[in-house]
């Protein structure tokens, strides 16, 4: 997700970090570079300008905190402003009414039908009893696609393709008498830039939706703004941004919320039903800035059933190198390793194989330590490092790097526990 944006921003901050003290000229130069990177990632020029304007004002106005380097502080400000440009806080579906009516609208090919299945799956996992409705009078095949998807997921599907204005209200009235509590309505796509199907405003008068989500393909970048504007008259409540697993450049995620004045509720990260993530602006900013996404990571671990261990690590005061190894091991078994490790700080784009080798190396290093060293890493001085490097067939630099990563993970976990990492809410409190 946004690899090239992340890599390029990391380079800018790397250069700034190398400078130690920052002069006004350094900050200006840094902001100019960030602007270039954002525009290169197809962020709307106005959004980039406003974002950096606010960063500049704060970078000049705010007092320096002694414990942070100037580059770190600039990074923190960029992170906060980037978060706020994407909407500050995570927003949820309203799901009001019974059944709550969630409608998906958007240009053809954006991912509406796929997202209907994903949202149904998502809600089903959270104790709801969703069902889907297809309403495409023009294209019967569209209804079949939804039907097939629903069948696979074991979710009821009702066609309303013949006459949506008559059928949808009927279906909803029927559902009222059943246990089904969320209706997800899939609607016909229109060619990009064209107005939405004309029956929708009439339908919404008959059965007012609880949530009307505009589904847009992130790969089209800031062009999605223009596509989305055509749907605003429908009274939208939020956005779903799909295909963030592809090589989306970041333009859509950073530009849409402020340009369309709508929150992103979910992002699509693949074609499978489970490839849907609730959108959290703070977390997304962390990912874009390569700050890792430990709370997202913890959630993935939880889904993969390895949460007990992660939870223990997060709850306990002590976080030893043994725990660190355990955490790495857990991550390794939790799914595509590269994808998960990409969420750890400072690991923007690992290749799967590289990650595997790196993991083996880290494991060897930790295993070459004495139990005492693993529990009290601060006792590891130069001669112990040499011994450990020899024992694990690595170098002292490798040992240093592992210790640095361990320290970083420890700091992050501590921060998470105290809720100190901005936006990084404690992942197991729900
Ligand atoms: P619709 O025309 O808006 O209903 O779009 P569809 O749901 O039919 O999706 C169009 C194509 O995009 C399909 O091939 C989907 O599998 C694919 N797609 C949808 N969402 C995602 C996503 O988040 N990631 C990826 N990689 N593909 C997606
Ligand atoms: Mg469709």
């Amino acid at each position: 997700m946004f690899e090239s944006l992340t890599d390029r921003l990391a380079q800018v901050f790397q250069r700034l970090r190398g400078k130690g003290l920052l002069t006004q000229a350094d900050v200006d130069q840094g902001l100019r570079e960030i602007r270039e990177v954002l525009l290169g990632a197809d962020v709307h020029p106005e959004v980039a300008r406003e974002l950096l304007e606010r960063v500049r004002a704060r970078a000049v106005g705010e007092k320096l905190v002694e414990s942070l380097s100037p580059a770190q502080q600039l990074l923190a400000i960029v992170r906060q402003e980037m978060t706020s440009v994407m909407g500050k806080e995570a927003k949820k579906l309203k799901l009001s009414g019974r059944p709550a009516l969630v409608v998906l609208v958007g240009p053809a090919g954006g991912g509406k039908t796929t997202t209907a299945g994903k949202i149904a799956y998502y809600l089903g996992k959270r104790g709801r009893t969703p069902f889907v409705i297809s309403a495409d009078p023009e294209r019967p095949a569209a209804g079949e696609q939804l039907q097939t998807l629903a069948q696979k997921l074991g979710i009821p599907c009702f066609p309303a393709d013949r006459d949506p204005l008559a059928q949808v209200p009927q279906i909803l009235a029927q559902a009222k008498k059943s246990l089904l509590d969320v209706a997800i309505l899939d609607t016909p796509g229109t060619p990009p830039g064209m107005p939405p199907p004309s029956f929708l405003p009439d339908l919404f008068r008959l059965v007012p939706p609880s949530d009307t989500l505009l589904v847009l393909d992130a790969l089209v970048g800031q062009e999605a703004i223009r596509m989305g504007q055509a749907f605003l008259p429908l009274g939208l409540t939020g956005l779903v941004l799909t295909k963030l697993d592809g090589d989306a450049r970041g333009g859509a995620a950073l530009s849409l919320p402020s340009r369309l004045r709508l929150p992103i509720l979910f992002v699509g990260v693949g074609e499978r039903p489970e490839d849907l993530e609730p959108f959290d602006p703070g977390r997304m900013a962390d990912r874009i800035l390569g700050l890792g996404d430990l709370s997202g990571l913890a959630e993935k671990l939880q889904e993969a059933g390895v949460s007990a261990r992660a939870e223990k690590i997060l709850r306990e005061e002590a976080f030893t190198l043994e725990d660190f190894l355990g955490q790495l091991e857990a991550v390794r078994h939790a799914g595509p390793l590269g994808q998960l490790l990409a969420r750890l700080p400072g690991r923007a784009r690992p290749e799967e194989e590289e990650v595997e080798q790196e993991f083996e190396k880290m494991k060897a290093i930790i295993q070459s330590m004495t139990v005492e060293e693993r529990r009290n890493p601060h006792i590891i001085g130069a001669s112990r490092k040499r011994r450990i490097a020899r024992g694990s067939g690595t170098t002292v630099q490798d040992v240093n790097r592992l210790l640095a990563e361990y320290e970083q993970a420890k700091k992050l976990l501590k921060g998470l526990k105290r809720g100190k990492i901005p936006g990084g809410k404690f992942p197991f409190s729900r």
Side-chain angles (χ1 to χ4, degrees), residues 112-113 139 142 145 186-187:
K112 290 178 298 302
T113 305
R139 245 175 19 113
Q145 185 194 350
D186 187 22
T187 66

Side-chain angles (χ1 to χ4, degrees), residues 349-366:
R349 188 164 40 181
E351 295 295 330
E352 197 75 21
E353 219 170 275
E354 220 174 277
V355 165
E356 198 63 36
Q357 283 171 5
E358 186 63 15
F359 174 80
E360 288 305 331
K361 212 191 241 176
M362 291 167 100
K363 192 168 155 184
I365 293 172
I366 296 175

Side-chain angles (χ1 to χ4, degrees), residues 107-114 118 145 242-243 245 268-271:
K112 290 178 298 302
T113 305
T114 313
K118 287 177 179 178
Q145 185 194 350
T242 63
K243 310 186 195 179
D245 53 309
V269 293
E271 301 193 63

Side-chain angles (χ1 to χ4, degrees), residues 58-114:
R58 289 184 51 191
V60 175
E62 263 171 39
K63 267 224 235 43
L64 297 184
V65 184
E66 260 176 41
S67 55
L68 288 177
S69 76
Q72 277 176 320
Q73 282 184 62
L74 190 64
L75 178 63
I77 296 174
V78 170
R79 183 199 176 279
Q80 280 170 13
E81 293 300 334
M82 205 177 249
T83 302
S84 101
V85 93
M86 287 188 289
K88 277 204 182 87
E89 280 169 15
K91 291 269 185 344
K92 290 189 171 157
L93 288 171
K94 284 203 280 288
L95 299 181
S96 60
R98 198 188 162 93
L101 176 59
V102 178
V103 184
L104 302 179
V105 301
K112 290 178 298 302
T113 305
T114 313

